[in-house]
């Protein structure tokens, strides 16, 4: 089978897109396409016909024709199969078979045609493979473009800073030598001892020029001087530009998860706020050992009450019975104006929240913190999300890393789970099977694994595997975890609201319960 050309043309034979696969004059292709509507048999049930030289295989495409021209010795069945693949590709890439749409996607169509036929011979590909090839992007190229932009932006900022530094040196010299013309001072500044400066501290490189500019720090000046050679101001500026283009080898950027975590922590459940609104918030801080065991654990929580209607300023809240697995490690503290029963006096939780004095009332229009609690301990069962990171050297200069998570607390539904794993300097991993999505932060040298939702019903556990150059397993720690969750780790929740302490009449209320990470690290 030899395909001479593939074309999309109008009923009059006007070519919209045409790809030639064998050497022949352009006039020859144009002549074949122009002859096509004249030679096409009328009222024929077949979609192919032959001339003494070539074979036409065509398929109507609304008001157009998609046409394949082959030699007469080619296999007609293969010709028809190739034509059908061309038609599927055109239908997949163009929203409609109109001239305007064909012209709009002409370049992409020609690329797809080249993936189907090479030098006149059909490639063993299907529609999905063609689509995959056309959508393929170079991750390494993007990384290099980001690095180049960062270096250029930082070099420009360093150029401005050093120009300002030279200007300040000239002014300082002018103050030391009163009465001398400013022009002479400027010329003599090249021969006068000036203050030596140290290179700026390593900065965290950002993926945007604006972030890089903001990250630059002013250098520290020391009293001792250094004699400069006969260099002009222009030479100094060029040196500043050239020196900045070399990335400092001593820079150790921080993990990017901490920089972006405030945005994730802004997540709050979508709750329509009622006249009585309860906000329960918890902050989680823990450090786990990579070999197992809990190094530190701390949870702080508070319950805030907001009342917006004056006739509800004496309400009572009934609480859900708290979890009892925490024992004495969980301590509660009440507002001084609240009723405290025997449980509250011992640091426990009462089954209701109400004012201790019937003459008092809740503030209206102003949120009030009425309850706080703290959980501190070393029991691993307190950990809501277990993380296992297993780096294994393969013996051929690379390391296989398997990291997995498992949701231990069914009271929490995690949103935007982000796990950040450091990588060896200057390496890029090959990622295998994984849940969620991942990205490589070239500024901090870390792999960032993201899972949008983790709950007892959805993605309760997941894993990610990758291979990377290097055999030092210590570089993959510390692993940092960040998430915002719905629910309370210790189970604090309002069950019902009543109009006052003596009444059992229910009141409509709303509540939002969240738990967020302050620190979650595996070392």
């Amino acid at each position: 089978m030899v395909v001479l050309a593939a074309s999309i043309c109008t009923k009059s034979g006007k070519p919209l897109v045409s790809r030639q696969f064998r050497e022949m004059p352009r006039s020859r292709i144009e002549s074949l396409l122009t002859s096509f509507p004249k030679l096409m048999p009328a009222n024929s049930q077949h979609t192919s016909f032959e001339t003494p030289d070539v074979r036409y295989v065509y398929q109507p495409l609304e008001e157009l024709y998609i046409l394949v021209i082959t030699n007469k010795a080619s296999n007609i069945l293969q010709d028809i199969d190739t034509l059908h693949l061309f038609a599927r590709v055109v239908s997949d890439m163009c929203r409609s078979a109109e001239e305007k749409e064909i012209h709009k996607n002409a370049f992409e169509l020609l690329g797809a045609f080249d993936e189907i036929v090479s030098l006149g011979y059909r490639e063993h590909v299907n529609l999905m493979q063609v689509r995959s090839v056309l959508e393929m992007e170079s991750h390494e190229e993007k990384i290099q473009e980001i690095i180049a932009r960062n270096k250029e932006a930082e070099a420009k900022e360093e150029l401005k800073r050093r120009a300002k530094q030279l200007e300040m040196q000239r002014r300082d010299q002018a103050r030391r030598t009163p009465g001398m013309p400013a022009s002479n001072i400027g010329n003599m500044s090249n021969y006068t001892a000036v203050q030596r400066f140290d290179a700026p501290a390593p900065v965290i490189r950002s993926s945007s020029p604006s972030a890089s500019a903001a990250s630059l720090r002013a250098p520290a000046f020391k009293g001792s001087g250094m004699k400069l050679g006969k260099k002009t101001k222009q030479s100094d500026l060029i040196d500043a530009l050239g020196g900045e283009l070399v990335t400092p080898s001593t820079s150790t950027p921080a993990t990017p998860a901490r920089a972006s975590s405030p945005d994730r922590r802004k997540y709050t459940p979508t709750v329509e706020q009622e006249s009585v609104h309860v906000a329960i918030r918890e902050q989680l801080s823990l450090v786990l050992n990579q070999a197992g065991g809990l190094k530190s654990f701390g949870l702080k929580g508070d319950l805030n009450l907001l009342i917006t209607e004056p006739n509800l300023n004496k309400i009572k809240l009934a609480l859900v019975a708290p979890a009892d697995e925490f024992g004495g490690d969980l301590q509660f503290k009440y507002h001084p104006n609240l009723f405290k029963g025997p449980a509250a006096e011992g640091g426990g939780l009462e089954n209701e929240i109400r004012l201790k004095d019937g003459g008092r009332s809740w503030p209206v229009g102003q949120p009030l913190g009425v309850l706080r609690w703290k959980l501190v301990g070393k029991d691993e069962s307190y950990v809501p999300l277990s993380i296992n990171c297993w780096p294994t050297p393969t013996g051929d200069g690379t390391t296989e890393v398997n990291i997995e998570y498992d949701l231990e607390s069914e009271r929490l539904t995690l949103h935007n789970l982000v796990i950040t794993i450091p990588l060896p300097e200057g390496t890029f991993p090959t990622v295998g099977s994984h849940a969620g999505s991942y990205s490589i932060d070239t500024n901090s040298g870390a792999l960032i694994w993201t899972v949008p939702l983790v709950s007892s019903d959805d993605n309760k556990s997941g894993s990610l595997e990758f291979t990377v150059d290097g055999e030092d397993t210590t570089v993959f720690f510390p692993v940092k975890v960040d998430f915002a969750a719905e629910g309370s780790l210790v189970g604090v929740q309002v069950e019902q609201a009543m109009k006052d302490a003596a009444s059992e009449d229910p009141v409509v209320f709303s509540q939002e319960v969240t738990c967020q990470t302050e620190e979650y690290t595996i070392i």
Side-chain angles (χ1 to χ4, degrees):
M1 170 187 177
V2 177
V3 179
L4 303 179
S7 305
I8 302 175
C9 61
T10 64
K11 290 184 176 181
S12 62
K14 172 188 174 183
L16 304 179
V17 172
S18 182
R19 188 60 167 169
Q20 175 183 333
F21 300 109
R22 303 291 287 184
E23 282 291 336
M24 64 175 60
R26 176 177 175 177
S27 59
R28 172 63 174 160
I29 292 293
E30 292 177 346
S31 174
L32 291 173
L33 293 176
T34 305
S35 303
F36 165 66
K38 302 175 184 178
L39 299 174
M40 184 171 57
N43 302 323
S44 174
Q45 298 296 323
H46 302 285
T47 58
S48 65
F49 60 89
E50 296 181 358
T51 67
D53 300 318
V54 297
R55 174 187 293 145
Y56 293 90
V57 185
Y58 62 93
Q59 177 178 325
L61 202 65
E62 296 183 11
E63 299 298 321
L64 307 175
Y65 283 105
I66 182 165
L67 172 66
V68 173
I69 303 175
T70 70
N71 60 5
K72 295 179 64 176
S74 66
N75 188 315
I76 184 62
L77 296 179
Q78 292 183 6
D79 293 344
I80 294 174
D81 183 62
T82 302
L83 175 67
H84 289 168
L85 181 56
F86 277 124
R88 288 197 298 271
V89 167
V90 173
S91 300
D92 183 69
M93 300 181 66
C94 301
R95 291 179 296 181
S96 61
E98 299 178 353
E99 289 191 33
K100 183 178 180 181
E101 189 71 14
I102 298 297
H103 285 306
K104 180 181 177 182
N105 298 280
F107 183 80
E108 290 78 7
L109 288 172
L110 292 176
F113 286 2
D114 284 341
E115 296 299 329
I116 298 173
V117 176
S118 176
L119 299 176
Y121 295 95
R122 164 74 185 276
E123 298 286 349
H124 296 286
V125 294
N126 54 34
L127 177 60
M128 294 301 297
Q129 291 173 321
V130 173
R131 184 187 300 165
S132 177
V133 170
L134 294 178
E135 293 177 353
M136 188 175 297
E137 298 179 352
S138 173
H139 181 67
E140 289 76 10
E141 181 182 1
K142 287 186 176 181
I143 290 174
Q144 293 303 318
E145 290 177 352
I146 292 172
I147 293 174
R149 287 198 300 267
N150 289 345
K151 288 182 178 181
E152 182 180 355
E154 291 175 2
K156 290 179 179 178
E157 288 299 321
E158 182 68 6
L159 186 66
K160 294 178 182 178
R161 185 186 62 76
R162 295 198 181 183
K164 185 177 180 180
Q165 171 193 332
L166 293 175
E167 182 65 25
M168 292 175 63
Q169 290 175 357
R170 284 197 296 272
R171 293 180 181 178
D172 183 63
Q173 185 65 25
R175 288 194 297 269
R176 294 180 183 178
T177 55
M180 185 173 292
S183 59
N184 293 338
I185 294 170
N187 295 331
M188 292 179 62
S189 63
N190 293 322
Y191 302 91
T192 306
V194 297
Q195 291 179 318
R196 176 173 61 90
F197 71 95
D198 292 337
V203 297
I204 301 173
R205 298 186 182 275
S206 172
S207 60
S208 64
S210 61
S212 300
S215 64
L216 289 173
R217 299 289 183 269
F221 287 88
K222 296 186 178 180
S224 58
M226 177 181 68
K227 200 76 173 181
L228 296 178
K230 295 183 179 181
K231 297 171 66 177
T232 64
K233 174 182 176 182
Q234 181 180 6
S235 300
D236 288 332
L237 299 182
I238 294 175
D239 289 345
L241 178 62
E244 186 61 25
L245 292 177
V246 180
T247 305
S249 60
T250 58
S251 64
T252 309
T255 303
R258 306 316 306 172
S260 56
S261 58
D263 293 336
R264 294 193 289 273
R265 296 226 253 278
K266 290 179 182 178
Y267 169 82
T268 54
T270 304
V271 177
E272 185 176 352
Q273 190 167 313
E274 301 289 346
S275 301
V276 177
H277 182 69
V278 178
I280 299 174
R281 298 184 177 89
E282 293 178 339
Q283 291 284 342
L284 178 63
S285 178
L286 64 88
V287 179
L288 293 164
N289 295 315
Q290 65 187 65
L294 187 60
K295 184 174 183 180
S296 65
F297 179 93
L299 176 78
K300 296 179 181 180
D302 58 70
L303 186 152
N304 288 270
L305 176 63
L306 174 62
I307 299 173
T308 56
E309 291 188 10
N311 62 335
L312 299 175
N313 62 356
K314 294 185 180 295
I315 66 164
K316 177 179 68 173
L317 301 178
L319 301 180
V320 175
D324 57 359
E325 69 261 28
F326 302 107
D329 291 341
L330 178 60
Q331 295 290 318
F332 291 87
K333 187 175 182 180
Y334 284 75
H335 190 281
N337 293 335
L338 297 184
F339 168 78
K340 299 177 184 177
E345 294 293 344
L349 182 66
E350 299 285 347
N351 59 3
E352 63 181 14
I353 295 177
R354 60 184 174 88
L355 296 167
K356 67 179 179 180
D357 188 350
R360 292 179 178 271
S361 59
W362 299 104
V364 177
Q366 179 181 352
L368 176 67
V370 297
L371 180 65
R372 295 177 182 173
W373 57 94
K374 181 170 66 172
L375 175 62
V376 179
K378 292 293 184 70
D379 191 338
E380 284 192 71
S381 64
Y382 297 169
V383 177
L385 182 76
S386 61
I387 304 289
N388 289 321
C389 184
W390 292 90
T392 305
T394 60
D396 60 354
T398 63
T399 300
E400 292 182 356
V401 182
N402 185 296
I403 183 166
E404 58 184 6
Y405 70 85
D406 193 6
L407 182 64
E408 305 290 349
S409 175
E410 295 187 356
R411 300 189 189 97
L412 299 182
T413 298
L414 311 188
H415 294 267
N416 299 331
L417 170 63
V418 177
I419 302 176
T420 304
I421 308 104
L423 299 173
E425 184 178 358
T427 62
F428 295 95
T430 301
V431 180
S433 61
H434 62 279
S437 60
Y438 73 93
S439 62
I440 308 300
D441 190 335
T442 57
N443 302 316
S444 62
L447 185 148
I448 303 194
W449 180 22
T450 305
V451 182
L453 180 67
V454 177
S455 67
S456 58
D457 300 323
D458 190 10
N459 295 325
K460 182 178 181 180
S461 60
S463 63
L464 178 142
E465 300 176 0
F466 66 89
T467 304
V468 68
D469 292 337
E471 295 186 337
D472 184 5
T473 59
T474 61
V475 300
F476 302 103
F477 298 91
V479 175
K480 295 185 180 293
V481 182
D482 200 359
F483 59 78
E486 290 183 70
S488 167
L489 180 60
V490 299
V492 175
Q493 189 173 358
V494 176
E495 184 177 26
Q496 191 177 14
M498 280 74 75
K499 191 169 184 180
D500 53 52
S503 173
E504 296 297 327
D505 296 337
V507 175
V508 177
F509 73 98
S510 59
Q511 69 175 330
E512 57 180 86
V513 187
T514 59
C515 180
Q516 299 172 340
T517 55
E518 187 173 8
E519 180 185 12
Y520 205 122
T521 308
I522 298 91
I523 60 173

